[in-house]
Amino acid sequence: MAKATLTISSKNYSSWSLRGWLLAKFAGLDFDEVVVGPDDASARAEILLLSSSILVPCLRHDGATIWDTLAIAEYLNETFPDAGLLPADRIQRAHCRSISGEIHSGFTTLRASLPVNLKGHFPGFKVWTRAQADIDRIWAIWRDCLEKSGGPFLFGHRSMADAMYAPVVTRFVTYDVKLDPQLDAYAKLIMAMPEMREWIEAAQAEPEEIEELEVEY
């Protein structure tokens, strides 16, 4: 059987690539990375939110080709059930799927206003009202999950949901979004994961810049 591959785009800018990569890492999948540069038209469209059809990341494994991040999560959960990408409890699984679907399809103002940029840091960044509404909703989701599960991850142990919300954590760091102690502890836990440190180190080493995402606010 050929080794699995995961096609991704920029590690500095691509939230969807980070999600797919973390899901594969959480599952324990042995895979090779295929990196599409940000000058590629499809990758650029994905990063700049110009395409509704996101084909990155794309996982190829054992004859299957999966290019939607939630589909990748479900496929990996089926293939590696012991990895715990979804909680064991039926009600918690439904909750995990619901909040993962919400970040997958929603929060468009947050994405546009606070794009992922792991090399950037904008202290005192002005968050406008519509983006703040998205942030408030994310805070409510995190608090609800952490209070119900007892933490330290959203469902106790790390899951699909933590991979889906990890790019949001990086946005809060980049744009200096202040968090209360409970949410700050969760954010720091995500940023300290070995997988996140590996990804961020690679992002910092990327030479490419996308001018549209490098505006000084």
Side-chain angles (χ1 to χ4, degrees):
M1 180 174 59
K3 189 175 183 180
T5 63
L6 182 70
T7 301
I8 59 174
S9 57
S10 169
K11 288 189 174 181
N12 187 51
Y13 298 111
S14 176
S15 60
W16 294 109
S17 292
L18 172 56
R19 291 183 176 104
W21 190 87
L22 283 177
L23 288 164
K25 289 287 188 177
F26 287 3
L29 176 65
D30 184 22
F31 64 93
D32 288 329
E33 294 179 18
V34 178
V35 180
V36 180
D39 55 342
D40 177 86
S42 60
R44 196 175 186 85
E46 173 251 328
I47 293 168
L48 296 178
L49 310 177
L50 298 176
S51 173
S52 60
S53 178
I54 297 173
L55 303 180
V56 178
C58 180
L59 176 65
R60 291 177 174 84
H61 173 256
D62 196 21
T65 300
I66 317 102
W67 60 88
D68 177 86
T69 310
L70 276 184
I72 289 172
E74 292 287 356
Y75 175 81
L76 290 170
N77 181 66
E78 290 179 2
T79 309
F80 303 97
D82 294 337
L85 289 179
L86 283 169
D89 178 77
R90 174 181 61 87
I91 294 174
Q92 289 185 352
R93 280 199 307 277
H95 190 187
C96 184
R97 285 187 168 110
S98 294
I99 68 166
S100 296
E102 189 169 350
I103 191 65
H104 184 268
S105 60
F107 305 110
T108 54
T109 303
L110 174 68
R111 291 177 187 167
S113 302
L114 284 70
V116 166
N117 184 344
L118 296 177
K119 291 192 284 187
H121 184 55
F122 305 100
F125 182 82
K126 173 65 176 177
V127 177
W128 300 104
T129 303
R130 290 180 63 191
Q132 187 62 52
D134 282 351
I135 291 171
D136 291 344
R137 172 57 187 156
I138 289 166
W139 287 351
I141 290 170
W142 288 2
R143 288 193 188 101
D144 181 50
C145 288
L146 292 170
E147 287 166 6
K148 286 178 178 177
S149 71
F153 293 97
L154 293 177
F155 290 90
H157 301 285
R158 69 184 190 178
S159 68
M160 173 197 304
D162 300 297
M164 294 297 290
Y165 281 88
V168 176
V169 175
T170 74
R171 286 178 162 98
F172 290 168
V173 173
T174 297
Y175 298 97
D176 195 31
V177 176
K178 305 302 183 186
L179 304 174
D180 67 29
Q182 179 189 39
L183 302 186
D184 186 57
Y186 172 69
K188 287 177 177 173
L189 177 70
I190 294 297
M191 294 298 287
M193 293 189 303
E195 297 87 353
M196 281 295 291
R197 293 202 302 268
E198 179 183 347
W199 180 274
I200 292 169
E201 182 178 351
Q204 295 284 352
E206 282 187 354
E208 299 91 350
E209 288 188 354
I210 296 179
E211 185 177 353
E212 294 93 325
L213 301 179
E214 292 296 337
V215 177
E216 293 290 343
Y217 293 94

